[in-house]
């Protein structure tokens, strides 16, 4: 193979190299992005064709409604705001200020690209599928269409990116695990709150997570790309 197709072998070797980000790390991220898009497309097709996912949605929503408690509902109602536009935009502004003061202008641009991108794609998705919310079991009134969940998508993108940056900046393994678990827990809590409070179906949240994960992968790639490029220029 190396003799007959030297260019192809060199290209494959570069894609599997662990010596730099453009090798195996980028290959893995590209693969995850493709998988996310495929699964998201499958969920969307299930909704359009009223396939089994719709029955799962309705059954899971009904079960949670039957088990709903006032105390948990009040707690999750408070936590669900962590994925709202008000909170996420506020955190984006605060994060931008911190990045500006740290002279990390490129990261600030990445943050705004991701937040604008995920927000735009959420709105396109909602207006494309025009899915009604499970209003009969809603804990509180919510406007707009249901698929995908904007709270879930935004939480995945914002808290995932901030968590990634914080993990990259921690030296101690214990601190990295703490930050990572905190970010994952926050993302999962926001998504679950949307279903428990009856303002989204399970597939809405899954779709939001997958959409948000796509943008998170883009953010990680841009972060590592600019970091390695900057290091090469400085060197």
């Amino acid at each position: 193979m190396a003799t007959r197709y030297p260019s192809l072998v060199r290209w494959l070797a570069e894609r599997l190299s662990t010596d730099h980000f453009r090798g195996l790390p980028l290959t893995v991220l590209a693969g995850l992005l493709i998988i996310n898009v495929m699964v998201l497309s499958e969920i969307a097709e299930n909704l359009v064709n009223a396939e089994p996912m719709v029955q799962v949605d309705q059954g899971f929503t009904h079960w949670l409604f039957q088990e709903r408690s006032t105390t948990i509902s009040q707690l999750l109602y408070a936590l669900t705001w962590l994925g709202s536009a008000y909170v996420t935009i506020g955190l984006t502004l605060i994060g931008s200020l911190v990045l500006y003061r740290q002279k990390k202008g490129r990261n600030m641009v990445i943050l705004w690209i991701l937040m604008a991108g995920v927000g735009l794609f959420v709105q396109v998705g909602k207006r494309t599928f025009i899915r009604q919310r499970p209003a009969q079991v809603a804990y509180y009134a919510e406007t707009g269409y249901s698929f995908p969940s904007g709270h879930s998508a935004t939480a995945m993108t914002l808290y995932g990116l901030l968590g990634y940056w914080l993990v990259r900046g921690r030296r101690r393994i214990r601190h990295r695990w703490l930050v990572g678990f905190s970010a994952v827990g926050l993302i999962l809590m926001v998504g679950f709150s949307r279903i428990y409070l009856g303002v989204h179906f399970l597939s809405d949240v899954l779709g939001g997570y997958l959409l948000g994960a796509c943008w998170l992968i883009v953010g990680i790639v841009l972060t590592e790309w600019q970091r390695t490029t900057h290091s090469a220029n400085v060197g």
Side-chain angles (χ1 to χ4, degrees):
M1 284 287 293
T3 303
R4 297 187 61 181
Y5 308 102
S7 298
L8 175 61
V9 171
R10 281 197 301 270
W11 184 84
L12 289 174
E14 282 291 313
R15 301 289 71 75
L16 299 177
S17 173
T18 58
D19 296 332
H20 49 78
F21 172 74
R22 294 180 179 84
L24 185 60
L26 182 58
T27 301
V28 172
L29 288 172
L32 289 175
L33 181 60
I34 293 172
I35 292 172
N36 273 4
V37 171
M38 291 175 63
V39 176
L40 180 57
S41 300
E42 182 65 25
I43 291 176
E45 183 180 350
N46 267 259
L47 298 183
V48 171
N49 298 329
E51 292 182 14
M53 189 71 207
V54 176
Q55 282 71 48
V56 173
D57 278 342
Q58 294 172 348
F60 191 59
T61 295
H62 178 72
W63 177 73
L64 284 179
F65 178 68
Q66 295 294 106
E67 301 295 325
R68 184 185 294 173
S69 77
T70 303
T71 303
I72 297 178
S73 297
Q74 292 173 345
L75 174 62
L76 292 181
Y77 180 70
L79 290 174
T80 201
W81 283 94
L82 294 173
S84 68
Y86 301 106
V87 173
T88 53
I89 290 175
L91 290 176
T92 301
L93 291 172
I94 294 173
S96 299
L97 178 61
V98 172
L99 291 170
Y100 176 77
R101 297 190 65 176
Q102 293 178 345
K103 298 181 179 180
K104 295 182 179 179
R106 294 182 179 182
N107 281 9
M108 186 171 66
V109 172
I110 292 172
L111 177 60
W112 279 101
I113 289 176
L114 261 64
M115 296 308 295
V118 72
L120 175 62
F121 273 63
V122 164
Q123 293 306 315
V124 170
K126 288 180 181 294
R127 285 164 172 73
T128 299
F129 296 99
I130 315 180
R131 189 186 197 191
Q132 300 301 321
R133 296 176 184 268
Q136 311 93 307
V137 298
Y139 181 74
Y140 69 99
E142 183 68 279
T143 58
Y145 296 117
S146 194
F147 183 86
S149 167
H151 281 62
S152 303
T154 305
M156 174 65 78
T157 303
L158 178 60
Y159 300 127
L161 182 65
L162 294 180
Y164 179 78
W165 284 346
L166 289 173
V167 167
R168 292 283 287 144
R170 303 279 82 79
R171 292 185 177 181
R172 294 187 177 182
I173 298 297
R174 181 178 59 185
H175 293 169
R176 291 188 174 189
W177 279 106
L178 179 61
V179 171
F181 276 120
S182 298
V184 171
L186 184 57
I187 293 168
L188 293 177
M189 193 62 67
V190 169
F192 179 72
S193 71
R194 307 307 288 166
I195 311 172
Y196 191 89
L197 297 174
V199 291
H200 276 295
F201 291 107
L202 173 62
S203 60
D204 300 333
V205 171
L206 293 178
Y209 279 159
L210 290 167
L211 177 59
C214 289
W215 281 100
L216 175 57
I217 291 172
V218 171
I220 293 174
V221 170
L222 292 176
T223 297
E224 294 301 323
W225 200 284
Q226 65 88 16
R227 188 181 65 84
T228 53
T229 302
H230 177 71
S231 299
N233 291 336
V234 173

